[in-house]
Amino acid sequence: MRFTTLAMAASLLSGSVMAEDKPFAIAIHGGAGTIVADKLTAEQKQAYRTALKEAVDAGHNVLATGGDSLAAVTAAIIILENNPLFNAGKGAVYNFAGGHELDAAIMDGKTMNAGAVAGVTNIANPIKLASAVMLHSPHVMLAGQGAEEFALEQGFSTVTPNYFDTDARKLQWQNAIEKIKQDQQHNKNYQASIHQFTLEDKFGTVGAVALDKQGNLAAGTSTGGMTAKRFGRIGDSPVIGAGTYAENGVCAVSATGHGEYFIRYQVAGDICARVKYQDISIVQAADQVINKRLIKAGGTGGVIAIDHRGNIATPFNTDGMYRATRKNNEDAQVLIWQQE
Ligand code: ASP
């Protein structure tokens, strides 16, 4: 009798320990590119690190208190969208015409549902609208005016397009236009010029991936796209399988970089397919795609990726990628460059 009681107590204890031990983790990014350490002041570096920590902690807090991965991803992204340092929401870049067109997507690995918006001009937090598309429409992606009409129906408040104006992005845009004009005089094509801008300092897309205690994976990405992009251009971020992807039991990915490559090479989906069908680790799969396949193709950028056990990979083939991770009850790790 005594033995049985003890055995029951032990099994209950191990059951509760196991429940407590369910892995959970989050990774976020704030864009990849040529982040030159000397060009950033100590205050700027600190401002990026503080913002990344605030965002990763917000998402982590959702997970630690039993919230789901979709809520964690959304909480982290909203903080980054509201911060003018990042090319999403408030700090979105300018398109060629001098306006702002924002793209965002979110994917639920549990249901394989996804929602995305492209080319929206008056929504402060496009990630929220992407969630609304996923949850309250029969569609996956809504673009431009149709997305904005849907937002009104869903009770979203709108902002005037100049809400997205910032001096730093305006300067980047002016420099980009100048460069494109010079390149045109030398018969260089627009595509080549745009590629150069991605390599320089036009990064800043934001994203998050998370695993919650229930084992659900989610991914989200939000961006203003690429500086001086053509009016109507849509990047990889809202394209499911390119810039954003999540599948329970496999992995969740959010990308940043030269979107045209990420679309053509199906980066997020390819990483998860490698994990699923080749049975390799998330670190190997993400490295193969970012540091081999994409480099060979000439595509620049990086990803944050997480698997169903909470293993995280954050490869990028540029100088830097603003990023942060936080697993279980560990402290946050906030990083910018390859070697730190
Ligand atoms: N991937 C984004 C796009 O092409 C840009 C970025 O990540 O910096 O729209």
Side-chain angles (χ1 to χ4, degrees), residues 87 202-205 223 225-226 233 235-237 255-260:
N87 171 20
K202 309 307 175 286
F203 45 80
T205 289
T223 187
M226 283 163 67
R233 179 265 188 187
D236 60 309
S237 311
T256 172
H258 193 164
E260 278 66 13

Side-chain angles (χ1 to χ4, degrees), residues 97-217:
H100 307 276
E101 293 167 276
L102 290 79
D103 302 337
I106 190 157
M107 184 158 183
D108 179 357
K110 180 183 174 188
T111 58
M112 297 294 283
N113 275 343
V117 291
V120 294
T121 60
N122 62 3
I123 302 297
N125 294 109
I127 196 69
K128 286 193 198 170
L129 188 54
S131 289
V133 171
M134 174 174 75
L135 298 172
H136 307 301
S137 90
H139 306 299
V140 169
M141 191 192 288
L142 292 177
Q145 225 185 320
E148 291 170 0
E149 256 180 48
F150 174 75
L152 290 179
E153 273 174 39
Q154 291 292 313
F156 275 71
S157 48
T158 54
V159 292
T160 52
N162 64 4
Y163 164 80
F164 300 107
D165 290 348
T166 56
D167 291 344
R169 296 294 179 197
K170 190 163 202 169
L171 192 63
Q172 284 179 350
W173 171 69
Q174 283 163 341
N175 292 339
I177 298 289
E178 193 56 38
K179 174 102 182 15
I180 289 171
K181 285 189 182 146
Q182 279 171 16
D183 283 354
Q184 275 167 348
Q185 277 167 8
H186 294 94
N187 286 328
K188 282 202 193 147
N189 66 32
Y190 177 76
Q191 174 69 16
S193 310
I194 286 276
H195 191 167
Q196 192 54 36
F197 302 141
T198 345
L199 282 173
E200 289 167 5
D201 55 354
K202 309 307 175 286
F203 45 80
T205 289
V206 308
V209 292
L211 169 74
D212 64 31
K213 288 182 183 176
Q214 293 72 42
N216 296 316
L217 289 166

Side-chain angles (χ1 to χ4, degrees), residues 265 270 274 288-298:
Y265 285 81
D270 188 9
R274 284 166 197 252
Q288 284 176 4
V289 175
I290 297 300
N291 288 320
K292 298 201 171 67
R293 195 147 195 256
L294 219 49
I295 286 186
K296 206 167 158 206

